[in-house]
Amino acid sequence: PAFTRPDQALGDPDAPTLEAVAGCELSIRLEAHDLTSGKDVTAQEAASRGYLVRIQSDTSIALSQYGEAASPSLPAGAVLAESDVEFANPSSRMFHWTPARGQESFTYLVCFRLLDSLATYNSASAQSNAKFCTRVRVARCKYCMKAGDSLYSIAQDWGTEWLNLWAGNDLLTKPGQTDEKTEVRLGPLLSVSHQDSLVSLATKFSVSVQDILAWNPDLHAQVEQEIDLILFDGQEICVL
C-alpha cells in the first residue's frame, strides 16, 4: 500500500510547508492505493483480487523553536472525513482542519497510515518504511474572520485598537462590514535578538508581558511550563 496524494507529502523532507490561518478551514485530499507486488498492475485489478485499503489518522506533532509536543491523534479541531466505503482501491478521504486561536505560531506534522483489508497497518509512502506526514504552519499574527466578526470585535478579543487593524489591512474598506473568511493581519511581525526579553519588549511597545504571551502561543507554552524563555536572533514574534 502507498499514498499517492498529496504530492507535497510523499516522503520529501524538503517539501513546501502548507500555511493555515486560525479561523479558516484547510482541506487536503488524501489518496492511496495497493498495487500488490505484481508488475503493471492497476489499482482496479488489485481491487478485483481483494487488495483494499483504508486511510487512517496517525499522530501529530506540534513544533516550535523550543521543541515539539507529540499527540497520538490529529490536532485539536481536525477531522478525517468518512468515505463512502470503509475499504477501497484506490482509496480517498478528506482531511479538514480549522485551526483555533492558540494554535497559531506552531508548525504541525500531521501523519497518516494505511490499513489494508487484511488488518495490517502500514505507514507506507513513496519511500519504503517512511512515515506519511504533511507539514502545516498556522500563521502567526493572522486571523480569519467568521460570521458576525468585525474589526471592532476582533480588536476587543485580541487586545488592540480597531484603527490599528484597519490601517494594517488595505483591502478592508469598511471596518464594520467585512466578509466571512477574510484574512486579517493582526499586527506586524517583529524580528528580535537574543538581547531582547519579554519585559524589554513590553516596555518598548507599551504593552504587557501577558499581552505578548497571548499573541504568541509558542512563547506562552514555554512560560506555562516554567521554562526560562530565551529569544533567538531573527526570531519573529507578534506585537499588536
Side-chain angles (χ1 to χ4, degrees):
F3 285 90
T4 59
R5 182 174 175 177
D7 294 340
Q8 61 91 25
L10 295 182
D12 182 2
D14 298 319
T17 299
L18 301 176
E19 181 167 298
V21 175
C24 266
E25 183 179 76
L26 171 71
S27 295
I28 303 173
R29 184 178 181 83
L30 301 163
E31 295 179 355
H33 63 200
D34 186 349
L35 302 184
T36 78
S37 57
K39 293 184 178 180
D40 302 321
V41 177
T42 66
Q44 291 77 12
E45 291 172 332
S48 69
R49 302 176 189 177
Y51 291 91
L52 305 173
V53 294
R54 176 175 171 80
I55 299 171
Q56 302 274 76
S57 62
D58 192 64
T59 59
S60 63
I61 303 174
L63 306 169
S64 76
Q65 286 185 279
Y66 298 103
E68 60 185 51
S71 168
S73 58
L74 296 175
V79 296
L80 190 58
E82 290 297 330
S83 53
D84 293 335
V85 293
E86 186 175 6
F87 288 90
N89 193 9
S91 179
S92 66
R93 292 181 77 177
M94 291 296 299
F95 168 78
H96 301 287
W97 183 26
T98 302
R101 182 174 180 181
Q103 292 177 316
E104 72 276 14
S105 76
F106 291 98
T107 295
Y108 291 82
L109 283 180
V110 186
C111 302
F112 306 91
R113 61 185 176 183
L114 296 179
L115 174 65
D116 67 25
S117 51
L118 299 177
T120 302
Y121 280 107
N122 191 327
S123 58
S125 72
Q127 295 181 350
S128 177
N129 298 320
K131 198 107 173 184
F132 182 88
C133 302
T134 187
R135 184 181 295 261
V136 181
R137 178 176 58 245
V138 184
R140 189 190 303 270
C141 235
K142 285 186 180 181
Y143 173 74
C144 199
M145 303 188 75
K146 63 181 183 297
D149 276 341
S150 68
L151 292 188
Y152 307 118
S153 64
I154 293 173
Q156 185 174 25
D157 289 343
W158 289 82
T160 186
E161 299 293 333
W162 73 266
L163 283 172
N164 294 340
L165 297 178
W166 195 20
N169 292 273
D170 297 339
L171 299 179
L172 301 180
T173 56
K174 296 181 179 180
Q177 300 177 15
T178 51
D179 295 330
E180 188 177 356
K181 303 304 181 185
T182 298
E183 289 186 16
V184 176
R185 289 193 304 273
L186 299 170
L189 290 176
L190 176 68
S191 180
V192 301
S193 78
H194 70 278
Q195 296 177 325
D196 289 316
S197 68
L198 293 184
V199 173
S200 67
L201 292 171
T203 301
K204 180 178 180 179
F205 293 99
S206 299
V207 297
S208 71
V209 168
Q210 290 304 316
D211 284 335
I212 296 177
L213 294 177
W215 299 328
N216 298 273
D218 54 341
L219 304 185
H220 182 269
Q222 283 294 102
V223 172
E224 198 172 46
Q225 297 178 54
E226 298 182 355
I227 299 174
D228 289 340
L229 184 67
I230 299 174
L231 299 177
F232 303 96
D233 290 335
Q235 182 175 355
E236 291 186 333
I237 68 171
C238 177
V239 178
L240 309 191

